Amino acid sequence: MWVILLEALGALLLFVLIIWWTMFSGRKKGERPGSHDES
């Protein structure tokens, strides 16, 4: 039972890490410059 829970937790952690990496990697402040410009 514990092995299944640990595996699920590891998969969730990996998923969150991938999402974070794809959203914020390469950006100095986490946001693109000009993304909040108002027209």
Side-chain angles (χ1 to χ4, degrees):
M1 182 69 181
W2 284 107
V3 176
I4 295 171
L5 290 176
L6 285 175
E7 189 174 356
L9 183 63
L12 181 63
L13 184 65
L14 185 63
F15 179 70
V16 170
L17 182 65
I18 290 170
I19 296 297
W20 180 83
W21 183 262
T22 56
M23 287 180 69
F24 298 114
S25 93
R27 297 185 186 172
K28 293 185 179 181
K29 294 185 179 178
E31 292 288 336
R32 290 186 301 191
S35 63
H36 294 292
D37 289 345
E38 298 191 15
S39 2

PDB file of all heavy atoms in Angstrom:
ATOM      1  N   MET A   1       0.821  -1.205   0.000  1.00  0.00           N
ATOM      2  CA  MET A   1       0.000   0.000   0.000  1.00  0.00           C
ATOM      3  C   MET A   1       0.859   1.260   0.000  1.00  0.00           C
ATOM      4  O   MET A   1       0.606   2.200  -0.738  1.00  0.00           O
ATOM      5  CB  MET A   1      -0.920  -0.030   1.227  1.00  0.00           C
ATOM      6  CG  MET A   1      -1.855   1.149   1.314  1.00  0.00           C
ATOM      7  SD  MET A   1      -3.077   1.057   0.011  1.00  0.00           S
ATOM      8  CE  MET A   1      -3.998   2.532   0.335  1.00  0.00           C
ATOM      9  N   TRP A   2       1.899   1.267   0.858  1.00  0.00           N
ATOM     10  CA  TRP A   2       2.772   2.439   0.939  1.00  0.00           C
ATOM     11  C   TRP A   2       3.525   2.663  -0.363  1.00  0.00           C
ATOM     12  O   TRP A   2       3.785   3.800  -0.748  1.00  0.00           O
ATOM     13  CB  TRP A   2       3.764   2.281   2.090  1.00  0.00           C
ATOM     14  CG  TRP A   2       3.090   2.519   3.421  1.00  0.00           C
ATOM     15  CD1 TRP A   2       2.773   1.579   4.346  1.00  0.00           C
ATOM     16  CD2 TRP A   2       2.621   3.762   3.941  1.00  0.00           C
ATOM     17  NE1 TRP A   2       2.139   2.162   5.416  1.00  0.00           N
ATOM     18  CE2 TRP A   2       2.042   3.515   5.198  1.00  0.00           C
ATOM     19  CE3 TRP A   2       2.646   5.073   3.464  1.00  0.00           C
ATOM     20  CZ2 TRP A   2       1.496   4.522   5.978  1.00  0.00           C
ATOM     21  CZ3 TRP A   2       2.090   6.080   4.252  1.00  0.00           C
ATOM     22  CH2 TRP A   2       1.523   5.799   5.488  1.00  0.00           C
ATOM     23  N   VAL A   3       3.858   1.579  -1.044  1.00  0.00           N
ATOM     24  CA  VAL A   3       4.593   1.702  -2.309  1.00  0.00           C
ATOM     25  C   VAL A   3       3.730   2.416  -3.349  1.00  0.00           C
ATOM     26  O   VAL A   3       4.210   3.278  -4.083  1.00  0.00           O
ATOM     27  CB  VAL A   3       5.026   0.308  -2.819  1.00  0.00           C
ATOM     28  CG1 VAL A   3       5.689   0.416  -4.178  1.00  0.00           C
ATOM     29  CG2 VAL A   3       5.954  -0.352  -1.818  1.00  0.00           C
ATOM     30  N   ILE A   4       2.450   2.100  -3.381  1.00  0.00           N
ATOM     31  CA  ILE A   4       1.531   2.745  -4.326  1.00  0.00           C
ATOM     32  C   ILE A   4       1.406   4.238  -4.011  1.00  0.00           C
ATOM     33  O   ILE A   4       1.439   5.082  -4.907  1.00  0.00           O
ATOM     34  CB  ILE A   4       0.154   2.058  -4.288  1.00  0.00           C
ATOM     35  CG1 ILE A   4       0.286   0.618  -4.778  1.00  0.00           C
ATOM     36  CG2 ILE A   4      -0.852   2.822  -5.130  1.00  0.00           C
ATOM     37  CD1 ILE A   4      -0.955  -0.212  -4.585  1.00  0.00           C
ATOM     38  N   LEU A   5       1.279   4.579  -2.726  1.00  0.00           N
ATOM     39  CA  LEU A   5       1.176   5.983  -2.341  1.00  0.00           C
ATOM     40  C   LEU A   5       2.454   6.754  -2.656  1.00  0.00           C
ATOM     41  O   LEU A   5       2.405   7.883  -3.148  1.00  0.00           O
ATOM     42  CB  LEU A   5       0.849   6.095  -0.849  1.00  0.00           C
ATOM     43  CG  LEU A   5      -0.559   5.643  -0.463  1.00  0.00           C
ATOM     44  CD1 LEU A   5      -0.730   5.698   1.053  1.00  0.00           C
ATOM     45  CD2 LEU A   5      -1.613   6.500  -1.142  1.00  0.00           C
ATOM     46  N   LEU A   6       3.603   6.149  -2.386  1.00  0.00           N
ATOM     47  CA  LEU A   6       4.872   6.804  -2.694  1.00  0.00           C
ATOM     48  C   LEU A   6       5.046   6.987  -4.197  1.00  0.00           C
ATOM     49  O   LEU A   6       5.552   8.014  -4.659  1.00  0.00           O
ATOM     50  CB  LEU A   6       6.043   5.988  -2.120  1.00  0.00           C
ATOM     51  CG  LEU A   6       6.230   6.100  -0.620  1.00  0.00           C
ATOM     52  CD1 LEU A   6       7.333   5.154  -0.158  1.00  0.00           C
ATOM     53  CD2 LEU A   6       6.547   7.523  -0.206  1.00  0.00           C
ATOM     54  N   GLU A   7       4.630   6.008  -4.974  1.00  0.00           N
ATOM     55  CA  GLU A   7       4.727   6.114  -6.420  1.00  0.00           C
ATOM     56  C   GLU A   7       3.800   7.214  -6.951  1.00  0.00           C
ATOM     57  O   GLU A   7       4.178   7.990  -7.834  1.00  0.00           O
ATOM     58  CB  GLU A   7       4.380   4.784  -7.058  1.00  0.00           C
ATOM     59  CG  GLU A   7       4.659   4.754  -8.545  1.00  0.00           C
ATOM     60  CD  GLU A   7       4.451   3.374  -9.136  1.00  0.00           C
ATOM     61  OE1 GLU A   7       4.169   2.415  -8.396  1.00  0.00           O
ATOM     62  OE2 GLU A   7       4.558   3.270 -10.377  1.00  0.00           O
ATOM     63  N   ALA A   8       2.598   7.305  -6.404  1.00  0.00           N
ATOM     64  CA  ALA A   8       1.668   8.355  -6.817  1.00  0.00           C
ATOM     65  C   ALA A   8       2.209   9.734  -6.435  1.00  0.00           C
ATOM     66  O   ALA A   8       2.124  10.685  -7.224  1.00  0.00           O
ATOM     67  CB  ALA A   8       0.305   8.118  -6.170  1.00  0.00           C
ATOM     68  N   LEU A   9       2.769   9.860  -5.247  1.00  0.00           N
ATOM     69  CA  LEU A   9       3.352  11.118  -4.816  1.00  0.00           C
ATOM     70  C   LEU A   9       4.537  11.504  -5.697  1.00  0.00           C
ATOM     71  O   LEU A   9       4.684  12.661  -6.088  1.00  0.00           O
ATOM     72  CB  LEU A   9       3.793  11.014  -3.350  1.00  0.00           C
ATOM     73  CG  LEU A   9       4.362  12.290  -2.744  1.00  0.00           C
ATOM     74  CD1 LEU A   9       3.303  13.382  -2.723  1.00  0.00           C
ATOM     75  CD2 LEU A   9       4.883  12.020  -1.350  1.00  0.00           C
ATOM     76  N   GLY A  10       5.363  10.554  -6.041  1.00  0.00           N
ATOM     77  CA  GLY A  10       6.497  10.809  -6.928  1.00  0.00           C
ATOM     78  C   GLY A  10       6.050  11.244  -8.310  1.00  0.00           C
ATOM     79  O   GLY A  10       6.626  12.157  -8.910  1.00  0.00           O
ATOM     80  N   ALA A  11       5.012  10.614  -8.838  1.00  0.00           N
ATOM     81  CA  ALA A  11       4.482  10.993 -10.151  1.00  0.00           C
ATOM     82  C   ALA A  11       3.904  12.403 -10.112  1.00  0.00           C
ATOM     83  O   ALA A  11       4.104  13.187 -11.037  1.00  0.00           O
ATOM     84  CB  ALA A  11       3.430   9.987 -10.596  1.00  0.00           C
ATOM     85  N   LEU A  12       3.197  12.752  -9.047  1.00  0.00           N
ATOM     86  CA  LEU A  12       2.637  14.088  -8.900  1.00  0.00           C
ATOM     87  C   LEU A  12       3.743  15.133  -8.798  1.00  0.00           C
ATOM     88  O   LEU A  12       3.679  16.191  -9.421  1.00  0.00           O
ATOM     89  CB  LEU A  12       1.740  14.139  -7.667  1.00  0.00           C
ATOM     90  CG  LEU A  12       1.052  15.483  -7.403  1.00  0.00           C
ATOM     91  CD1 LEU A  12       0.094  15.830  -8.543  1.00  0.00           C
ATOM     92  CD2 LEU A  12       0.312  15.441  -6.080  1.00  0.00           C
ATOM     93  N   LEU A  13       4.768  14.833  -8.031  1.00  0.00           N
ATOM     94  CA  LEU A  13       5.895  15.739  -7.887  1.00  0.00           C
ATOM     95  C   LEU A  13       6.608  15.950  -9.220  1.00  0.00           C
ATOM     96  O   LEU A  13       6.955  17.078  -9.587  1.00  0.00           O
ATOM     97  CB  LEU A  13       6.869  15.189  -6.842  1.00  0.00           C
ATOM     98  CG  LEU A  13       8.063  16.081  -6.509  1.00  0.00           C
ATOM     99  CD1 LEU A  13       7.578  17.367  -5.849  1.00  0.00           C
ATOM    100  CD2 LEU A  13       9.026  15.343  -5.606  1.00  0.00           C
ATOM    101  N   LEU A  14       6.793  14.887  -9.972  1.00  0.00           N
ATOM    102  CA  LEU A  14       7.416  14.981 -11.284  1.00  0.00           C
ATOM    103  C   LEU A  14       6.558  15.811 -12.234  1.00  0.00           C
ATOM    104  O   LEU A  14       7.066  16.647 -12.982  1.00  0.00           O
ATOM    105  CB  LEU A  14       7.635  13.573 -11.852  1.00  0.00           C
ATOM    106  CG  LEU A  14       8.380  13.511 -13.179  1.00  0.00           C
ATOM    107  CD1 LEU A  14       9.794  14.041 -13.037  1.00  0.00           C
ATOM    108  CD2 LEU A  14       8.402  12.085 -13.689  1.00  0.00           C
ATOM    109  N   PHE A  15       5.251  15.622 -12.198  1.00  0.00           N
ATOM    110  CA  PHE A  15       4.323  16.389 -13.027  1.00  0.00           C
ATOM    111  C   PHE A  15       4.406  17.882 -12.717  1.00  0.00           C
ATOM    112  O   PHE A  15       4.504  18.719 -13.614  1.00  0.00           O
ATOM    113  CB  PHE A  15       2.904  15.864 -12.800  1.00  0.00           C
ATOM    114  CG  PHE A  15       1.856  16.589 -13.593  1.00  0.00           C
ATOM    115  CD1 PHE A  15       1.785  16.450 -14.964  1.00  0.00           C
ATOM    116  CD2 PHE A  15       0.944  17.407 -12.949  1.00  0.00           C
ATOM    117  CE1 PHE A  15       0.813  17.124 -15.696  1.00  0.00           C
ATOM    118  CE2 PHE A  15      -0.023  18.083 -13.672  1.00  0.00           C
ATOM    119  CZ  PHE A  15      -0.085  17.938 -15.044  1.00  0.00           C
ATOM    120  N   VAL A  16       4.391  18.229 -11.418  1.00  0.00           N
ATOM    121  CA  VAL A  16       4.488  19.625 -11.011  1.00  0.00           C
ATOM    122  C   VAL A  16       5.834  20.214 -11.425  1.00  0.00           C
ATOM    123  O   VAL A  16       5.909  21.352 -11.896  1.00  0.00           O
ATOM    124  CB  VAL A  16       4.259  19.762  -9.490  1.00  0.00           C
ATOM    125  CG1 VAL A  16       4.591  21.164  -9.001  1.00  0.00           C
ATOM    126  CG2 VAL A  16       2.821  19.413  -9.154  1.00  0.00           C
ATOM    127  N   LEU A  17       6.900  19.452 -11.291  1.00  0.00           N
ATOM    128  CA  LEU A  17       8.229  19.914 -11.684  1.00  0.00           C
ATOM    129  C   LEU A  17       8.293  20.192 -13.185  1.00  0.00           C
ATOM    130  O   LEU A  17       8.837  21.208 -13.618  1.00  0.00           O
ATOM    131  CB  LEU A  17       9.283  18.872 -11.293  1.00  0.00           C
ATOM    132  CG  LEU A  17      10.723  19.259 -11.606  1.00  0.00           C
ATOM    133  CD1 LEU A  17      11.144  20.457 -10.775  1.00  0.00           C
ATOM    134  CD2 LEU A  17      11.645  18.082 -11.359  1.00  0.00           C
ATOM    135  N   ILE A  18       7.714  19.327 -13.992  1.00  0.00           N
ATOM    136  CA  ILE A  18       7.691  19.530 -15.438  1.00  0.00           C
ATOM    137  C   ILE A  18       6.892  20.783 -15.791  1.00  0.00           C
ATOM    138  O   ILE A  18       7.316  21.595 -16.622  1.00  0.00           O
ATOM    139  CB  ILE A  18       7.130  18.281 -16.153  1.00  0.00           C
ATOM    140  CG1 ILE A  18       8.130  17.136 -16.054  1.00  0.00           C
ATOM    141  CG2 ILE A  18       6.826  18.586 -17.615  1.00  0.00           C
ATOM    142  CD1 ILE A  18       7.582  15.807 -16.508  1.00  0.00           C
ATOM    143  N   ILE A  19       5.732  20.973 -15.157  1.00  0.00           N
ATOM    144  CA  ILE A  19       4.921  22.155 -15.418  1.00  0.00           C
ATOM    145  C   ILE A  19       5.676  23.424 -15.030  1.00  0.00           C
ATOM    146  O   ILE A  19       5.725  24.398 -15.783  1.00  0.00           O
ATOM    147  CB  ILE A  19       3.578  22.080 -14.660  1.00  0.00           C
ATOM    148  CG1 ILE A  19       2.744  20.898 -15.168  1.00  0.00           C
ATOM    149  CG2 ILE A  19       2.806  23.377 -14.788  1.00  0.00           C
ATOM    150  CD1 ILE A  19       2.347  20.989 -16.620  1.00  0.00           C
ATOM    151  N   TRP A  20       6.297  23.419 -13.857  1.00  0.00           N
ATOM    152  CA  TRP A  20       7.060  24.579 -13.408  1.00  0.00           C
ATOM    153  C   TRP A  20       8.217  24.872 -14.354  1.00  0.00           C
ATOM    154  O   TRP A  20       8.466  26.029 -14.700  1.00  0.00           O
ATOM    155  CB  TRP A  20       7.568  24.334 -11.987  1.00  0.00           C
ATOM    156  CG  TRP A  20       8.368  25.491 -11.474  1.00  0.00           C
ATOM    157  CD1 TRP A  20       7.870  26.630 -10.913  1.00  0.00           C
ATOM    158  CD2 TRP A  20       9.786  25.629 -11.507  1.00  0.00           C
ATOM    159  NE1 TRP A  20       8.908  27.463 -10.589  1.00  0.00           N
ATOM    160  CE2 TRP A  20      10.094  26.881 -10.935  1.00  0.00           C
ATOM    161  CE3 TRP A  20      10.821  24.815 -11.959  1.00  0.00           C
ATOM    162  CZ2 TRP A  20      11.405  27.325 -10.814  1.00  0.00           C
ATOM    163  CZ3 TRP A  20      12.122  25.263 -11.841  1.00  0.00           C
ATOM    164  CH2 TRP A  20      12.407  26.512 -11.264  1.00  0.00           C
ATOM    165  N   TRP A  21       8.917  23.833 -14.778  1.00  0.00           N
ATOM    166  CA  TRP A  21      10.076  24.013 -15.647  1.00  0.00           C
ATOM    167  C   TRP A  21       9.658  24.610 -16.990  1.00  0.00           C
ATOM    168  O   TRP A  21      10.294  25.517 -17.506  1.00  0.00           O
ATOM    169  CB  TRP A  21      10.778  22.667 -15.838  1.00  0.00           C
ATOM    170  CG  TRP A  21      12.013  22.796 -16.672  1.00  0.00           C
ATOM    171  CD1 TRP A  21      12.127  22.534 -17.994  1.00  0.00           C
ATOM    172  CD2 TRP A  21      13.292  23.237 -16.238  1.00  0.00           C
ATOM    173  NE1 TRP A  21      13.403  22.785 -18.406  1.00  0.00           N
ATOM    174  CE2 TRP A  21      14.144  23.214 -17.347  1.00  0.00           C
ATOM    175  CE3 TRP A  21      13.799  23.642 -14.991  1.00  0.00           C
ATOM    176  CZ2 TRP A  21      15.483  23.585 -17.257  1.00  0.00           C
ATOM    177  CZ3 TRP A  21      15.130  24.014 -14.922  1.00  0.00           C
ATOM    178  CH2 TRP A  21      15.951  23.981 -16.041  1.00  0.00           C
ATOM    179  N   THR A  22       8.561  24.119 -17.562  1.00  0.00           N
ATOM    180  CA  THR A  22       8.132  24.623 -18.861  1.00  0.00           C
ATOM    181  C   THR A  22       7.574  26.039 -18.766  1.00  0.00           C
ATOM    182  O   THR A  22       7.679  26.805 -19.719  1.00  0.00           O
ATOM    183  CB  THR A  22       7.073  23.709 -19.500  1.00  0.00           C
ATOM    184  OG1 THR A  22       5.976  23.566 -18.604  1.00  0.00           O
ATOM    185  CG2 THR A  22       7.643  22.351 -19.814  1.00  0.00           C
ATOM    186  N   MET A  23       7.018  26.421 -17.625  1.00  0.00           N
ATOM    187  CA  MET A  23       6.455  27.767 -17.493  1.00  0.00           C
ATOM    188  C   MET A  23       7.516  28.811 -17.188  1.00  0.00           C
ATOM    189  O   MET A  23       7.459  29.922 -17.710  1.00  0.00           O
ATOM    190  CB  MET A  23       5.399  27.794 -16.378  1.00  0.00           C
ATOM    191  CG  MET A  23       4.112  27.118 -16.751  1.00  0.00           C
ATOM    192  SD  MET A  23       2.917  27.184 -15.423  1.00  0.00           S
ATOM    193  CE  MET A  23       2.541  28.918 -15.394  1.00  0.00           C
ATOM    194  N   PHE A  24       8.468  28.494 -16.332  1.00  0.00           N
ATOM    195  CA  PHE A  24       9.355  29.518 -15.795  1.00  0.00           C
ATOM    196  C   PHE A  24      10.827  29.377 -16.159  1.00  0.00           C
ATOM    197  O   PHE A  24      11.608  30.238 -15.810  1.00  0.00           O
ATOM    198  CB  PHE A  24       9.233  29.557 -14.265  1.00  0.00           C
ATOM    199  CG  PHE A  24       7.848  29.908 -13.811  1.00  0.00           C
ATOM    200  CD1 PHE A  24       7.085  28.985 -13.124  1.00  0.00           C
ATOM    201  CD2 PHE A  24       7.301  31.144 -14.087  1.00  0.00           C
ATOM    202  CE1 PHE A  24       5.811  29.294 -12.701  1.00  0.00           C
ATOM    203  CE2 PHE A  24       6.023  31.471 -13.670  1.00  0.00           C
ATOM    204  CZ  PHE A  24       5.286  30.546 -12.983  1.00  0.00           C
ATOM    205  N   SER A  25      11.245  28.324 -16.837  1.00  0.00           N
ATOM    206  CA  SER A  25      12.667  28.202 -17.128  1.00  0.00           C
ATOM    207  C   SER A  25      13.078  29.206 -18.191  1.00  0.00           C
ATOM    208  O   SER A  25      12.381  29.424 -19.166  1.00  0.00           O
ATOM    209  CB  SER A  25      13.010  26.791 -17.581  1.00  0.00           C
ATOM    210  OG  SER A  25      12.964  26.675 -18.975  1.00  0.00           O
ATOM    211  N   GLY A  26      14.201  29.837 -17.988  1.00  0.00           N
ATOM    212  CA  GLY A  26      14.713  30.792 -18.949  1.00  0.00           C
ATOM    213  C   GLY A  26      14.207  32.203 -18.752  1.00  0.00           C
ATOM    214  O   GLY A  26      14.654  33.116 -19.430  1.00  0.00           O
ATOM    215  N   ARG A  27      13.307  32.421 -17.831  1.00  0.00           N
ATOM    216  CA  ARG A  27      12.795  33.768 -17.572  1.00  0.00           C
ATOM    217  C   ARG A  27      13.439  34.309 -16.309  1.00  0.00           C
ATOM    218  O   ARG A  27      13.460  33.629 -15.283  1.00  0.00           O
ATOM    219  CB  ARG A  27      11.276  33.739 -17.415  1.00  0.00           C
ATOM    220  CG  ARG A  27      10.589  33.284 -18.684  1.00  0.00           C
ATOM    221  CD  ARG A  27       9.089  33.400 -18.514  1.00  0.00           C
ATOM    222  NE  ARG A  27       8.412  32.830 -19.670  1.00  0.00           N
ATOM    223  CZ  ARG A  27       7.118  32.658 -19.728  1.00  0.00           C
ATOM    224  NH1 ARG A  27       6.367  32.994 -18.713  1.00  0.00           N
ATOM    225  NH2 ARG A  27       6.564  32.138 -20.791  1.00  0.00           N
ATOM    226  N   LYS A  28      13.923  35.528 -16.376  1.00  0.00           N
ATOM    227  CA  LYS A  28      14.649  36.077 -15.230  1.00  0.00           C
ATOM    228  C   LYS A  28      13.748  36.338 -14.038  1.00  0.00           C
ATOM    229  O   LYS A  28      14.136  36.108 -12.909  1.00  0.00           O
ATOM    230  CB  LYS A  28      15.366  37.362 -15.641  1.00  0.00           C
ATOM    231  CG  LYS A  28      16.475  37.084 -16.626  1.00  0.00           C
ATOM    232  CD  LYS A  28      17.246  38.336 -16.941  1.00  0.00           C
ATOM    233  CE  LYS A  28      18.365  38.007 -17.921  1.00  0.00           C
ATOM    234  NZ  LYS A  28      19.172  39.171 -18.242  1.00  0.00           N
ATOM    235  N   LYS A  29      12.535  36.832 -14.285  1.00  0.00           N
ATOM    236  CA  LYS A  29      11.634  37.152 -13.171  1.00  0.00           C
ATOM    237  C   LYS A  29      10.362  36.320 -13.202  1.00  0.00           C
ATOM    238  O   LYS A  29       9.403  36.643 -12.537  1.00  0.00           O
ATOM    239  CB  LYS A  29      11.285  38.640 -13.199  1.00  0.00           C
ATOM    240  CG  LYS A  29      12.490  39.518 -12.916  1.00  0.00           C
ATOM    241  CD  LYS A  29      12.079  40.963 -12.838  1.00  0.00           C
ATOM    242  CE  LYS A  29      13.285  41.829 -12.533  1.00  0.00           C
ATOM    243  NZ  LYS A  29      12.932  43.245 -12.493  1.00  0.00           N
ATOM    244  N   GLY A  30      10.320  35.276 -14.014  1.00  0.00           N
ATOM    245  CA  GLY A  30       9.163  34.406 -14.055  1.00  0.00           C
ATOM    246  C   GLY A  30       8.079  34.841 -15.013  1.00  0.00           C
ATOM    247  O   GLY A  30       7.174  34.096 -15.296  1.00  0.00           O
ATOM    248  N   GLU A  31       8.164  36.048 -15.518  1.00  0.00           N
ATOM    249  CA  GLU A  31       7.166  36.554 -16.461  1.00  0.00           C
ATOM    250  C   GLU A  31       7.883  37.123 -17.676  1.00  0.00           C
ATOM    251  O   GLU A  31       8.976  37.655 -17.556  1.00  0.00           O
ATOM    252  CB  GLU A  31       6.319  37.655 -15.814  1.00  0.00           C
ATOM    253  CG  GLU A  31       5.425  37.173 -14.707  1.00  0.00           C
ATOM    254  CD  GLU A  31       4.256  36.363 -15.226  1.00  0.00           C
ATOM    255  OE1 GLU A  31       3.875  36.537 -16.402  1.00  0.00           O
ATOM    256  OE2 GLU A  31       3.732  35.553 -14.462  1.00  0.00           O
ATOM    257  N   ARG A  32       7.244  37.018 -18.821  1.00  0.00           N
ATOM    258  CA  ARG A  32       7.812  37.632 -20.013  1.00  0.00           C
ATOM    259  C   ARG A  32       7.647  39.139 -19.944  1.00  0.00           C
ATOM    260  O   ARG A  32       6.596  39.613 -19.510  1.00  0.00           O
ATOM    261  CB  ARG A  32       7.110  37.104 -21.268  1.00  0.00           C
ATOM    262  CG  ARG A  32       7.453  35.670 -21.544  1.00  0.00           C
ATOM    263  CD  ARG A  32       6.858  35.253 -22.836  1.00  0.00           C
ATOM    264  NE  ARG A  32       5.397  35.433 -22.773  1.00  0.00           N
ATOM    265  CZ  ARG A  32       4.558  34.964 -23.664  1.00  0.00           C
ATOM    266  NH1 ARG A  32       4.999  34.313 -24.707  1.00  0.00           N
ATOM    267  NH2 ARG A  32       3.269  35.160 -23.538  1.00  0.00           N
ATOM    268  N   PRO A  33       8.649  39.882 -20.380  1.00  0.00           N
ATOM    269  CA  PRO A  33       8.459  41.330 -20.424  1.00  0.00           C
ATOM    270  C   PRO A  33       7.375  41.698 -21.416  1.00  0.00           C
ATOM    271  O   PRO A  33       7.332  41.161 -22.519  1.00  0.00           O
ATOM    272  CB  PRO A  33       9.834  41.857 -20.867  1.00  0.00           C
ATOM    273  CG  PRO A  33      10.549  40.688 -21.433  1.00  0.00           C
ATOM    274  CD  PRO A  33       9.947  39.456 -20.817  1.00  0.00           C
ATOM    275  N   GLY A  34       6.491  42.584 -21.017  1.00  0.00           N
ATOM    276  CA  GLY A  34       5.415  43.002 -21.904  1.00  0.00           C
ATOM    277  C   GLY A  34       4.182  42.152 -21.813  1.00  0.00           C
ATOM    278  O   GLY A  34       3.213  42.390 -22.520  1.00  0.00           O
ATOM    279  N   SER A  35       4.166  41.156 -20.961  1.00  0.00           N
ATOM    280  CA  SER A  35       2.987  40.287 -20.872  1.00  0.00           C
ATOM    281  C   SER A  35       1.829  40.965 -20.150  1.00  0.00           C
ATOM    282  O   SER A  35       0.707  40.542 -20.251  1.00  0.00           O
ATOM    283  CB  SER A  35       3.336  38.973 -20.172  1.00  0.00           C
ATOM    284  OG  SER A  35       3.743  39.212 -18.849  1.00  0.00           O
ATOM    285  N   HIS A  36       2.127  42.071 -19.422  1.00  0.00           N
ATOM    286  CA  HIS A  36       1.076  42.789 -18.702  1.00  0.00           C
ATOM    287  C   HIS A  36       0.820  44.174 -19.278  1.00  0.00           C
ATOM    288  O   HIS A  36       0.312  45.042 -18.598  1.00  0.00           O
ATOM    289  CB  HIS A  36       1.464  42.918 -17.220  1.00  0.00           C
ATOM    290  CG  HIS A  36       1.499  41.593 -16.518  1.00  0.00           C
ATOM    291  ND1 HIS A  36       0.379  40.851 -16.271  1.00  0.00           N
ATOM    292  CD2 HIS A  36       2.528  40.881 -16.024  1.00  0.00           C
ATOM    293  CE1 HIS A  36       0.716  39.745 -15.655  1.00  0.00           C
ATOM    294  NE2 HIS A  36       2.011  39.746 -15.497  1.00  0.00           N
ATOM    295  N   ASP A  37       1.215  44.372 -20.522  1.00  0.00           N
ATOM    296  CA  ASP A  37       0.956  45.672 -21.150  1.00  0.00           C
ATOM    297  C   ASP A  37      -0.532  45.867 -21.347  1.00  0.00           C
ATOM    298  O   ASP A  37      -1.233  44.969 -21.761  1.00  0.00           O
ATOM    299  CB  ASP A  37       1.665  45.773 -22.506  1.00  0.00           C
ATOM    300  CG  ASP A  37       3.169  45.896 -22.350  1.00  0.00           C
ATOM    301  OD1 ASP A  37       3.602  46.179 -21.223  1.00  0.00           O
ATOM    302  OD2 ASP A  37       3.878  45.694 -23.331  1.00  0.00           O
ATOM    303  N   GLU A  38      -0.999  47.056 -21.049  1.00  0.00           N
ATOM    304  CA  GLU A  38      -2.418  47.349 -21.242  1.00  0.00           C
ATOM    305  C   GLU A  38      -2.600  48.125 -22.531  1.00  0.00           C
ATOM    306  O   GLU A  38      -1.819  48.999 -22.845  1.00  0.00           O
ATOM    307  CB  GLU A  38      -2.945  48.149 -20.066  1.00  0.00           C
ATOM    308  CG  GLU A  38      -2.828  47.379 -18.762  1.00  0.00           C
ATOM    309  CD  GLU A  38      -3.597  48.068 -17.651  1.00  0.00           C
ATOM    310  OE1 GLU A  38      -4.419  48.930 -17.952  1.00  0.00           O
ATOM    311  OE2 GLU A  38      -3.361  47.717 -16.498  1.00  0.00           O
ATOM    312  N   SER A  39      -3.659  47.800 -23.281  1.00  0.00           N
ATOM    313  CA  SER A  39      -3.852  48.492 -24.549  1.00  0.00           C
ATOM    314  C   SER A  39      -4.833  49.628 -24.419  1.00  0.00           C
ATOM    315  O   SER A  39      -5.784  49.598 -23.766  1.00  0.00           O
ATOM    316  CB  SER A  39      -4.352  47.566 -25.617  1.00  0.00           C
ATOM    317  OG  SER A  39      -4.574  46.283 -25.260  1.00  0.00           O
TER     318      SER A  39
END
